[in-house]
Every structure is written in C-alpha cells, then in structure tokens.
Amino acid sequence: MRENRPKSRLLAISSAGALVTATLIAGAVSAPAAGAADRPGHDREAAGARTAAARAAEAGIHWQDCPSDWGLAKPIQCGWVSVPVDYAHPYGKQIKLAVDRIGNTGTQKERQGALVYNPGGPGGSGLRFPTRVTNKNAVWANVAKAYDFVGFDPRGVGHSAPISCVDPQEFVKAPKADPVPDSEADKRAQRKLAREYAEGCAERSGAMLPHMTTPNTARDLDVIRAALGEKKLNYLGVSYGTYLGAVYGTLFPGHLRRMIVDSVVNPSRENIWYQANLDQDVAFEGRWKDWEDWVAANDAAFHLGTTRAAVQAKWLQLRATAKQHPLGGVVGPAELISFFQSAPYYDSSWVPVASVFSKYYAGDTQALVDAASPDLSDTAGNIASENGNAVYTAVECTDAKWPTSWRTWDRDNTRLNRDHPFMTWANAWMNLPCATWPAKQRTPVEVRTHKGLPQVLIVQSTRDAATPYPGAVELHKRFKGSRLITERDAGSHGVTGLVNPCINQRVDAYLLDGRLDGKDVTCAPHATPKP
C-alpha cells in the first residue's frame, strides 16, 4: 500500500519481488473510552499506553535544531519521544521516535495546537511535513496560521529505531526478474526470494517484528500527543495514514479533536491486508488506462499513439524489449513497472513519465535508463528505500493473518492477472513474504465508533488506484457523524495537497472552525495535467 515506493520495489519490488501543568498531564493520560479494547491482552496494552503517555507528558519534548544531515533547516526543530517496544510491558525496552515541528505562523491567539501528520506507507516518514510551511505551500497557508505542523518517523522508520531485512545495496540491484512469470520455475524462484526476504527480516530485525503493528503505532501516536502537551490530537493521515487514523480513532476516541483522512484504506478486518492488495491491482489497471487515454489525447506532445490501444501497444513493446535485453543492462520489466506506476499513482507524474516514454521512442534510451535504474552511489537513499520496504512488509505481515497456502496466492493472482496485468504479479511478489512470516500475525482492530469520537472528515477521489474508493465509503459507515468529500472523475493519490478550491476551502473550514457540511459533498475534479 505504500505510496512513494522506492524504485527498486513496487511500493517496494524487494529482493522478494524483483514510507507541564497538572491539568495538561491529566488531559494527556485520560483513558481510552470503555469498549475500545477489541481482543484478549489488549487491556494490558491499553494500560501500557496510559503509562507511556503519562511519562511522556511529564518529560515533554526537548526541542532543538535538527541534525544537519536530516535536511530540516531552522526554524524547524527536532526532538525525541520514548515509547515501549511492547505496550504490554511499558517498563521494558524503550525506543526513541524522531519528531519535528514548526510553530504556527499566526498569533498566539490564533493558535489551535499541533497538527500531527502521517503520509502513509506503512514505512513513510512524516518529517517533511513542516517544510510545507518553510516552502510556503499555498494550499496549507491558512491552516499553518493556526497549527504547529508536527511530523514524525513511526517506529522502525528512518531515525526511529529503523529496521532492515536485507543489505540496502543488494536490495536496489537491478535488473530484477520479470514479475510476470512465464513458467512454474519462475514462480518457484519468486517464492524462494520471498521466503528468503522474510528470513532476512527475522535475522536483521527479529526482536522488533512482533511489535511492528498499526495498533502499536497508534499507541505511539498517543504518546506523541501527550509529549506535545496536547489534551486532544489533531491529525492528518494520507493513504496508510488513514488506517492508522482509523485505528487511533477506535482505540482513543476521546483523545481526538479533529481528524482528516485522505485517500482511505478500507478498514474492514476482511480487507486488511491480503484483500486490500488484490483490490489495488484492479484499481491500478483502471487508472493506468486513464493515463493512457490522456497520453493518447495529447499525441501532439508525446507521439505515442492517438488511442489507448496504441499507447498500450507501445508499452508492451517496450516491456518485451527490456525483458529480452535490459536497457542499459539494468532496466528490465520490474524496473519499468516501478517507474511507470507513479503515473497511475499521482497526476503530478503524468507529464514526467509520458515525457520519458516519448523520448525512448524518439531514440533517447538513456533518459529512461536514468529514470528507472537504481543509483548505487546513493547509499543514503538506498538505505531509506530498503528501510521503507522493510517497514511496509513488517507492518502488513504482522497486522493480520495472511494465506499460507501457495495455491491460494497462485489462484487469486492468476485470475486477476488476466484482466489486470499491469500490477498484479508485481504486487503479489511484494507481499508474498507474509505467507512465511516469522512473527506472530495479529487480528486487526475492529474499526468502529466509540463514545467521544468527534466528526471526522474523509476525502477521497473516485479513481484512486492505491486506495480504491470503496474504502472511504466503508470508513464513512463505521465512523458515525463523519463527512465524506468525494472528488469525482479524479484519481490522484492524496487529494488534500492538490489545488481544488471545493476541497481546500472545506479542509480549512474544518481545521480552523470545526465546520463541516450538513451532508456529504461531491467536488469536480482538480485540473488535468497539461503537457
């Protein structure tokens, strides 16, 4: 499910496949609403979360200039929040989570507290969030007057006790095998890689794996809230960050002030996570076709054909060429998918991807090699990519039970691939380590409304590939009183960051004044990219 997938995997094509006063303390440690516990042992974890939050409220956060190599210049400040690895043992081993902030740009009177952000993944870092202020992002200018913008690296991510499953330089090496198998031997080879990847996670990060779950990250989020001195949390979550928000809202309903979830993971227990990835394959095919239609409509700029069928033929020709002779010796079908998938992900990638595609057919192969191949000299970037992939795998594999029978995986993906070939097998191999996962797999939280949950704002485009539209509808049903803004005939993943006044004005009204429409709203799409 991760957006911002590293080049070397499809949201990760990994080696398996080819993001204080007494009053404040009292407010910060109040108990979750009765009934928030969902399963045996959860009460111990809930008590552990209260203990950890009480400690954090007392300790606060020692803000200082960010480390120079984090790329977060003043006035952004950084700090640390300690959380237990296992909330059932709150006095056991602790890890430190990296947190950053920038103060509200308005007056003290205008300030409404902190707005905490998660960009998705699982495995995404939120530390860039305050740069929306320093970069003068116009969409967020009004909200920045009222809120401190707070980002964090979730457990296992980046600077927060990072986990790893394989050597990063090995992780990015290319070319990887074509994800679409030609034979049973190809499938056996991919299954072996997936099993080895899972074993690598156990070898390199085994102590953390049982605790790399969305509920634990939600508990971490509550500890961060307490450390910030906030009685209630203001939260913005995108993509996987919506599922994190849904779980937080279920476990800590009385601790929420305002929450926006944007591009929504279907929170149904039956969906997390095996079915979610199958549903993605269908949605990606639809959005891939949307992009091909746009490329065809702009043939004067790209010269790739005037119909979707013509553009698809060019794609299949490129894929076949790269399969036979990897471009530049490094770009095969796996690398092509990893590069081209950004187009169905984000409208902002439509022009860049089409331009590189066009250059290839105009005789410039190097542009595509440069865009789609790994940079082995970028060791920091490769470490980040491998880490993001490790967290993605660890959280999804540990959050829920996955099929262990290869027959199930083979049946489902063979069937889907017939009509949805763009992503199906690549996505399957990305997730197959979950079939042999070495840590105990949990039962997902039953997301639902509990006493104290405020009105939640849900924002979703109808053509989203990574988080299909039914997910927003499902969360809307489960969170009573929520409001759904639908961006029709659009599919860019992450809607609130785009320029669409129908949406932007409602986000501002909710965060600044707590105002929501009396009923759900449908907005026209944002502007289509121009070549």
Side-chain angles (χ1 to χ4, degrees):
M1 302 298 297
R2 288 182 61 219
E3 73 286 0
N4 302 327
R5 301 184 177 195
K7 282 182 186 176
S8 44
R9 196 174 173 187
L10 265 163
L11 251 196
I13 297 178
S14 77
S15 53
L19 146 217
V20 208
T21 66
T23 305
L24 280 176
I25 294 174
V29 301
S30 57
D38 269 302
R39 57 188 189 274
H42 199 151
D43 51 348
R44 288 181 62 198
E45 292 168 324
R50 289 193 293 272
T51 298
R55 280 201 307 251
E58 191 170 355
I61 302 173
H62 176 58
W63 296 109
Q64 53 198 323
D65 292 346
C66 300
S68 58
D69 61 347
W70 289 17
L72 300 165
K74 290 191 288 188
I76 298 172
Q77 297 177 301
C78 290
W80 302 94
V81 175
S82 290
V83 298
V85 171
D86 180 357
Y87 278 94
H89 300 94
Y91 296 103
K93 181 175 172 54
Q94 309 288 306
I95 55 174
K96 289 185 175 181
L97 306 182
V99 184
D100 69 344
R101 73 166 181 186
I102 192 166
N104 73 303
T105 60
T107 64
Q108 185 60 30
K109 187 176 179 182
E110 290 176 286
R111 185 177 179 275
Q112 295 192 43
L115 177 64
V116 182
Y117 173 70
N118 180 272
S125 167
L127 292 180
R128 301 294 299 169
F129 185 52
T131 66
R132 296 189 186 184
V133 179
T134 55
N135 293 337
K136 297 182 168 43
N137 185 312
V139 169
W140 292 96
N142 292 329
V143 173
K145 290 178 183 176
Y147 290 91
D148 304 344
F149 278 23
V150 175
F152 70 105
D153 276 352
R155 60 171 52 210
V157 175
H159 306 292
S160 298
I163 67 168
S164 171
C165 292
V166 65
D167 177 81
Q169 294 298 98
E170 288 297 317
F171 175 76
V172 302
K173 275 188 181 173
K176 299 197 182 329
D178 184 350
V180 179
D182 290 326
S183 64
E184 289 301 314
D186 287 350
K187 293 177 182 178
R188 284 194 297 271
Q190 292 282 14
R191 292 171 64 190
K192 180 172 182 285
L193 286 172
R195 190 167 55 250
E196 289 171 350
Y197 186 84
E199 290 166 355
C201 294
E203 289 167 11
R204 296 170 74 97
S205 306
M208 282 287 287
L209 295 188
H211 311 292
M212 291 294 298
T213 66
T214 301
N216 276 340
T217 303
R219 296 176 187 112
D220 294 344
L221 188 56
D222 201 59
V223 175
I224 290 170
R225 172 199 60 78
L228 290 166
E230 300 282 343
K231 182 177 181 181
K232 294 195 175 187
L233 178 74
N234 304 293
Y235 177 76
L236 170 64
V238 181
S239 191
Y240 165 78
T242 67
Y243 183 59
L244 175 60
V247 171
Y248 183 88
T250 300
L251 299 183
F252 302 97
H255 292 187
L256 267 176
R257 179 176 178 265
R258 288 176 193 154
M259 179 162 76
I260 296 179
V261 286
D262 170 3
S263 304
V264 181
V265 171
N266 185 329
S268 162
R269 275 178 164 168
E270 292 70 35
N271 188 64
I272 303 297
W273 285 106
Y274 180 71
Q275 186 63 43
N277 283 280
L278 297 178
D279 292 346
Q280 264 192 328
D281 301 336
V282 176
F284 260 101
E285 195 71 31
R287 193 59 178 163
W288 173 250
K289 290 175 180 176
D290 291 349
W291 177 72
E292 290 183 320
D293 286 338
W294 174 87
V295 172
N298 288 282
D299 184 61
F302 302 119
H303 314 294
L304 291 165
T306 57
T307 65
R308 179 201 298 169
V311 177
Q312 176 71 0
K314 285 280 203 299
W315 159 250
L316 293 176
Q317 182 184 337
L318 168 60
R319 203 184 181 291
T321 299
K323 182 181 178 75
Q324 190 168 9
H325 299 292
L327 310 179
V330 288
V331 175
E335 291 70 36
L336 288 177
I337 294 169
S338 195
F339 170 66
F340 274 82
Q341 65 155 0
S342 64
Y345 242 104
Y346 305 111
D347 289 9
S348 60
S349 293
W350 279 20
V351 173
V353 172
S355 298
V356 170
F357 195 13
S358 177
K359 285 178 182 177
Y360 171 80
Y361 276 104
D364 181 1
T365 301
Q366 193 58 44
L368 183 51
V369 172
D370 291 344
S373 62
D375 179 0
L376 292 177
S377 69
D378 181 16
T379 53
N382 296 338
I383 288 169
S385 291
E386 190 278 326
N387 167 245
N389 191 75
V391 175
Y392 167 87
T393 309
V395 173
E396 292 213 358
C397 293
T398 310
D399 259 358
K401 293 172 177 62
W402 288 70
T404 56
S405 165
W406 167 245
R407 185 176 299 174
T408 299
W409 290 75
D410 195 21
R411 177 200 67 205
D412 292 343
N413 288 282
T414 299
R415 174 180 55 82
L416 268 183
N417 184 69
R418 290 188 194 115
D419 296 320
H420 310 93
F422 178 67
M423 282 281 289
T424 295
W425 278 113
N427 215 10
W429 306 129
M430 180 180 78
N431 293 290
L432 190 58
C434 298
T436 57
W437 194 239
K440 179 184 177 183
Q441 294 178 321
R442 307 299 183 105
T443 300
V445 168
E446 182 65 28
V447 169
R448 60 178 185 264
T449 302
H450 292 293
K451 183 179 178 183
L453 183 74
Q455 284 189 288
V456 172
L457 180 59
I458 302 169
V459 188
Q460 179 80 32
S461 63
T462 56
R463 302 285 295 167
D464 192 316
T467 53
Y469 183 75
V473 175
E474 182 66 25
L475 182 61
H476 186 29
K477 288 178 187 171
R478 288 167 180 261
F479 274 180
K480 298 189 187 314
S482 61
R483 286 287 175 267
L484 172 60
I485 300 175
T486 298
E487 187 185 28
R488 63 173 169 78
D489 302 328
S492 199
H493 188 59
V495 177
T496 53
L498 303 174
V499 176
N500 187 335
C502 177
I503 295 170
N504 305 144
Q505 291 165 9
R506 286 176 167 84
V507 167
D508 284 359
Y510 175 67
L511 287 175
L512 297 176
D513 303 317
R515 284 192 290 113
L516 288 171
D517 291 274
K519 58 183 180 180
D520 295 339
V521 174
T522 298
C523 291
H526 61 274
T528 303
K530 288 183 170 54

